[in-house]
Amino acid sequence: MDYGPAPESDAEVRAWLATHKSSFGHFIGGKFVPGAKHFDSTEPATGKFLARVAEGSNKDIDAAVSAARRAQGPWEKLGGHGRARHLYALARMLQRHARLFAVLESLDNGKPIRETRDLDVPLAVRHFYHHAGWAQLQDSELAAYKAIGVVGQIIPWNFPLLMLAWKVAPALAAGNTVVLKPAEFTPLTALLFAELAHKAGLPPGVLNVVTGEGATGAALVEHAGVDKIAFTGSTEVGRLIRKATAGTGKSLTLELGGKSPFIVFDDADLDGAVEGVVDAIWFNQGQVCCAGSRLLVQEGVATEFIKRLKRRMGKLRVGHPLDKSIDMGAIIDPIQLKRIGMLVDKGVAEGAEKFQPEITLPATGCFFPPTLLTNVETSSTVATEEIFGPVLVSMTFRTPDEAVMLANNSRYGLSASVWSETIGLALDIAPKLQCGVVWVNATNLFDAAVGFGGYRESGFGREGGREGIYEYLKLKAWAARKPKAVQRIAIEAEVKPNFDEPSVDRTAKLFIGGKQARPDGNYSRTILSPSGKIVGEVGEGNRKDIRNAVAAARAAEGWSKATAHNRAQILYYMAENLSARADEFASRIKAMTGVSKAKSEVKASILRLFSYGAWADKYDGAVHSPPLRGVALAMNEPLGVVGMICPDEAPLLGFISLVAPLIAMGNRAVVVPSERHPLAATDFYQVLETSDVPAGVINIVTGGRDTLLKTLAEHDDVDGLWVFGSKENSASAEKLSTGNLKRTLVDHGLATDWFDSASSEGPVLLRHAVQVKNIWIPYGE
Ligand code: NDP
């Protein structure tokens, strides 16, 4: 017995293409508009011409952004319920045309119809339903937030319609309007979607599609009329986008590459895990950002597992994507095919053993066989680089700790899959993995209610669920912020001769690793009052001091594992000790700043420490309910080590308002206090010392903001960066932190009201102090 061909008809798609004479312009302001230049979109499975598509110019992007801007106000004013009705209509529209979308996607992308029909399209539908719900609930559940404005979205070719849905549904639900740039290889489902969406009543300008290449995407990124960029694609382009948007005030989410581990313990259901591997790396020909491309098998079962895996590989069927009984379709393009082949050859040259089953590939078109590379070194190219093809590399481990170490040995951190019949073991491993999604005894599960996104160089931001909708909203209180007032710089006043007994000299040092430390350069800086009176001296920190502080913060890893109860106790204790010295702090603030509300600043700081003591064990994650027998645990995890530039305004309250949420959530901080008024922070050393704060959890380096910020931003052991200084500080934080793609929170030189809890306390900051990891746990037999 063998499979016969089971072709799906492409007649409907050909008829739709014919109505457009297989030639498309951009979709702007509710209609197709002609483009000046064009390129061809071909079928990867046959290399045949599919359609002629416009190549977007700066002018086209400009027209689309203008259309989106005109539509944004009325779209937002329509209100949550009005938008919910539209999103619901889009979901229904997709359902009505499900087969048309599935076939078109298979033709344009080369992926099997089995996948487009059963996964891409139903999941896209689900995203519109789910986000119709967020629109409906926006006024009640997200009342403190409003739409960002015009959103530019750039998507890749591996899941063209699904990526559209992941991006467009939340953006529209929240009241934004969209300019979407689909991938050059796969623009057709986006054009079909735009056309049918408008037939379904979507107002003109709410969704605009400009097709084109990388340059079209770059023009969208750089357009001054865009308020946010949401990007999915390679880490390389993600970095370019981070740099291009730095300092512009545009908000940004990046869903980037991965090299995800697939971990098989010796007590796993081996046959189940073999099927898991098939879904992890041969789904969509391995062209999946979260593909389980690094197989880690426990030594005792490795031989048997690889034997069963090879046998299963021999049964995979590679063929035309419209054949309903094939497992793998075509690779997107000859360029990608060549790149995959080159990387496999490199792997073999570096010592790997290659296995490819003896299966027949179609004689023409872009096809690559399922491939397994064994005997792979952890440092080899194929173990570290994203191949983005049907290539699995395999390694072994002995102990759970070694599995975690190998799994985390990557610059990426998108997803992981853990296979063990011992639930305790699997759930012990999941939180230790540095990535945004973990599947327990499963792989490649997705749902609109469950956030998806990466750690480290896999990008930042989440798509889906409550965690995802925030990415398309801005806090009303922050939207109303004004630029900071320029503060007058004091000039040192003339000192009158004084022959009284001088007070005992107290020059504040730095605070690193729980100890007061002399600055490396042995320089200090004088701190003046507004009238120019000397109020003290502090150490002048330099690059080396920052590096020492980061090392101390790294070593304080225990804090991230401490219980929330423990962290709460310490925050309360800090409040208690600050309270005991409230008058001293108030007079110090008055001396430094001359402000009259010094006492209320200390009072507010004590209150804030209490608030975060309260929040430490209450800013919980969530249990999502995706449509399967199982749950997804959305866990709020700390970012790790976070660098911070504190504001000059409210030198104690600003410092406390930023440090407290970070440490409440288990981060360790390297803090540069207010450059002008650092003495409130240096006085705080004694509060830290008497409050049982473990060494290295809070490190304080005084000195010049610009120099210290540069070192923090460029340091690859710093995971996050919060900057509340000048506009220029924000720009350099965003620009210089692209090396390891730090999560940044910056104020763009706008003044935050630190006394207003709606602007500076609680979830508004806690949300930025964590990254959400979703752990999927299917259950049942
Ligand atoms: P890219 O990151 O180059 O492309 C993603 C999207 O960005 C496309 O729409 C692309 O347009 C656009 N783009 C390209 N350059 C720019 C730019 N400078 N500014 C703005 N937008 C730009 O990925 P590729 O599709 O070229 O694939 C290259 C590699 O990236 C793959 O081999 C794979 O390793 C990885 N990749 C990862 C994905 C993921 O989800 N993690 C998805 C896709 C690819 P255009 O299509 O015209 O080039």
Side-chain angles (χ1 to χ4, degrees):
M1 290 272 281
D2 203 358
Y3 291 95
E8 171 77 30
S9 164
D10 61 3
E12 296 282 323
V13 165
R14 303 280 173 202
W16 175 71
L17 289 171
T19 60
H20 290 274
K21 301 193 176 62
S22 294
S23 178
F24 294 86
H26 308 294
F27 198 90
I28 298 176
K31 57 180 187 301
F32 279 106
V33 297
K37 282 165 85 185
H38 293 85
F39 60 92
D40 288 349
S41 188
T42 52
E43 290 176 35
T46 59
K48 286 186 193 149
F49 169 83
L50 196 55
R52 190 168 161 265
V53 182
E55 190 182 317
S57 63
N58 289 7
K59 226 172 108 200
D60 299 320
I61 289 289
D62 199 42
V65 172
S66 302
R69 177 63 62 200
R70 281 194 300 277
Q72 201 269 325
W75 179 245
E76 190 172 3
K77 280 202 198 78
L78 190 58
H81 176 63
R83 291 195 298 279
R85 282 173 172 245
H86 277 292
L87 272 105
Y88 179 73
L90 293 177
R92 303 286 292 163
M93 174 279 282
L94 266 176
Q95 278 181 317
R96 276 198 304 280
H97 301 284
R99 199 49 74 95
L100 182 64
F101 277 103
V103 175
L104 180 61
E105 193 81 309
S106 285
L107 282 178
D108 201 15
N109 169 282
K111 60 168 76 186
I113 182 76
R114 203 170 51 85
E115 289 177 11
T116 55
R117 184 196 58 199
D118 300 344
L119 190 129
D120 295 62
V121 177
L123 251 182
V125 172
R126 166 99 181 106
H127 271 262
F128 281 96
Y129 276 123
H130 179 80
H131 286 97
W134 279 120
Q136 180 67 31
L137 299 178
Q138 188 168 353
D139 294 343
S140 55
E141 287 292 298
L142 304 160
Y145 293 83
K146 63 192 291 245
I148 294 178
V150 173
V151 181
Q153 304 185 319
I154 301 170
I155 53 174
W157 42 260
N158 54 347
F159 292 90
L161 179 70
L162 188 56
M163 288 301 102
L164 174 151
W166 282 26
K167 294 217 160 14
V168 170
L172 298 194
N176 306 281
T177 52
V178 167
V179 178
L180 178 86
K181 207 293 280 175
E184 168 196 351
F185 294 139
T186 53
L188 296 179
T189 43
L191 293 170
L192 174 64
F193 183 89
E195 183 184 66
L196 294 181
H198 287 80
K199 282 194 180 150
L202 193 68
V206 170
L207 170 64
N208 307 276
V209 178
V210 179
T211 51
E213 301 179 352
T216 313
L220 181 57
V221 168
E222 276 152 29
H223 197 290
V226 170
D227 302 304
K228 177 194 167 81
I229 292 289
F231 171 79
T232 298
S234 61
T235 295
E236 194 190 345
V237 175
R239 273 206 184 88
L240 292 177
I241 294 178
R242 168 73 293 182
K243 282 204 178 113
T245 53
T248 61
K250 284 177 193 160
S251 88
L252 179 65
T253 41
L254 298 174
E255 300 287 349
L256 309 176
K259 190 77 192 175
S260 299
F262 187 103
I263 308 168
V264 182
F265 283 99
D266 59 7
D267 63 348
D269 164 2
L270 293 191
D271 289 323
V274 165
E275 285 312 308
V277 173
V278 172
D279 285 339
I281 188 69
W282 294 306
F283 164 59
N284 201 18
Q285 298 70 249
Q287 303 169 127
V288 183
C289 51
C290 52
S293 53
R294 280 189 298 148
L295 174 63
L296 306 176
V297 195
Q298 198 156 15
E299 231 171 56
V301 293
T303 311
E304 177 60 21
F305 189 75
I306 296 291
K307 193 176 98 193
R308 293 192 202 184
L309 182 60
K310 286 181 174 171
R311 196 166 60 210
R312 179 69 179 88
M313 286 169 76
K315 302 271 180 227
L316 291 171
R317 303 186 75 242
V318 182
H320 194 284
L322 287 189
D323 183 339
K324 283 177 248 179
S325 60
I326 61 122
D327 300 299
M328 281 172 58
I331 301 294
I332 188 73
D333 187 79
I335 297 177
Q336 187 70 9
L337 187 70
K338 202 167 144 207
R339 184 172 177 269
I340 298 168
M342 214 183 63
L343 280 164
V344 169
D345 291 347
K346 191 154 190 208
V348 172
E350 287 176 5
E353 275 169 38
K354 177 172 82 173
F355 172 79
Q356 289 173 332
E358 286 177 11
I359 53 179
T360 341
L361 300 188
T364 56
C366 253
F367 293 92
F368 198 90
T371 302
L372 170 67
L373 296 176
T374 49
N375 200 25
V376 170
E377 293 288 330
T378 49
S379 58
S380 67
T381 311
V382 287
T384 54
E385 291 299 311
E386 185 179 38
I387 299 177
F388 228 64
V391 183
L392 178 68
V393 299
S394 130
M395 284 165 269
T396 58
F397 66 87
R398 286 191 180 165
T399 62
D401 283 350
E402 196 189 350
V404 171
M405 207 179 67
L406 282 172
N408 287 339
N409 181 27
S410 167
R411 61 199 173 98
Y412 296 115
L414 195 49
S415 63
S417 189
V418 180
W419 294 74
S420 166
E421 288 299 288
T422 311
I423 190 73
L425 173 65
L427 293 183
D428 179 47
I429 298 294
K432 294 178 180 165
L433 298 171
Q434 287 284 319
C435 58
V437 185
V438 180
W439 294 291
V440 172
N441 293 326
T443 191
N444 277 338
L445 299 175
F446 310 101
D447 183 52
V450 185
F452 180 90
Y455 281 27
R456 310 204 277 201
E457 291 182 36
S458 291
F460 43 75
R462 294 290 177 267
E463 294 188 308
R466 183 182 283 269
E467 54 269 39
I469 194 73
Y470 284 116
E471 307 289 350
Y472 286 97
L473 293 164
K474 63 182 175 195
L475 193 66
K476 287 176 184 164
W478 284 4
R481 291 183 300 189
K482 299 272 179 301
K484 290 178 192 180
V486 182
Q487 289 193 7
R488 194 177 60 82
I489 313 253
I491 298 168
E492 201 173 319
E494 204 176 309
V495 183
K496 295 205 183 72
N498 178 3
F499 294 99
D500 295 344
E501 198 174 71
S503 58
V504 178
D505 179 71
R506 218 181 94 204
T507 301
K509 297 180 185 153
L510 314 180
F511 191 74
I512 297 177
K515 290 201 218 52
Q516 300 199 25
R518 199 165 272 127
D520 168 71
N522 262 324
Y523 283 106
S524 57
R525 66 163 54 204
T526 308
I527 305 305
L528 303 174
S529 72
S531 61
K533 202 167 151 255
I534 296 175
V535 283
E537 300 221 358
V538 295
E540 181 75 51
N542 66 13
R543 289 164 57 208
K544 180 124 191 284
D545 297 311
I546 289 285
R547 288 206 293 267
N548 291 341
V550 172
R554 274 270 146 227
E557 209 185 341
W559 182 252
S560 299
K561 295 176 190 150
T563 63
H565 171 71
N566 182 223
R567 295 196 296 262
Q569 296 304 297
I570 286 174
L571 280 151
Y572 288 133
Y573 203 8
M574 282 160 67
E576 181 189 326
N577 286 322
L578 177 60
S579 172
R581 299 174 53 188
D583 292 343
E584 188 192 318
F585 272 87
S587 54
R588 179 67 109 179
I589 293 169
K590 177 128 184 36
M592 277 192 303
T593 64
V595 297
S596 54
K597 50 180 183 178
K599 270 199 171 148
S600 41
E601 183 173 340
V602 179
K603 205 169 149 202
S605 302
I606 296 166
L607 200 134
R608 202 137 284 174
L609 285 167
F610 251 84
S611 286
Y612 286 109
W615 273 116
D617 62 355
K618 290 171 197 68
Y619 193 63
D620 295 328
V623 182
H624 293 309
S625 311
L628 86 159
R629 271 172 61 76
V631 291
L633 307 181
M635 308 221 326
N636 287 333
E637 294 193 340
L639 308 178
V641 173
V642 180
M644 185 195 300
I645 302 292
C646 293
D648 282 333
E649 321 85 71
L652 178 67
L653 183 58
F655 163 84
I656 297 288
S657 300
L658 297 173
V659 172
L662 279 170
I663 68 163
M665 293 297 103
N667 298 284
R668 294 93 76 192
V670 175
V671 187
V672 178
S674 158
E675 181 176 322
R676 289 164 58 94
H677 314 301
L679 298 172
T682 58
D683 288 350
F684 204 73
Y685 297 169
Q686 288 177 6
V687 173
L688 296 176
E689 284 164 343
T690 49
S691 305
D692 294 344
V693 180
V697 171
I698 301 175
N699 306 276
I700 300 174
V701 179
T702 49
R705 197 159 71 178
D706 298 353
T707 333
L708 300 178
L709 166 60
K710 182 170 185 297
T711 312
L712 273 174
E714 289 173 345
H715 201 307
D716 279 351
D717 263 348
V718 175
D719 306 294
L721 192 56
W722 287 16
V723 174
F724 287 73
S726 66
K727 194 168 186 297
E728 294 72 30
N729 289 152
S730 296
S732 43
E734 290 184 335
K735 187 167 256 137
L736 300 176
S737 62
T738 49
N740 65 343
L741 287 170
K742 292 179 182 56
R743 282 97 192 95
T744 54
L745 175 66
V746 303
D747 70 353
H748 295 291
L750 302 173
T752 306
D753 182 353
W754 298 104
F755 287 88
D756 169 34
S757 53
S759 308
S760 57
E761 186 181 301
V764 296
L765 285 167
L766 287 166
R767 194 171 79 70
H768 297 276
V770 296
Q771 46 194 348
V772 180
K773 171 186 280 175
N774 272 285
I775 304 176
W776 289 72
I777 312 168
Y779 47 70
E781 283 301 309

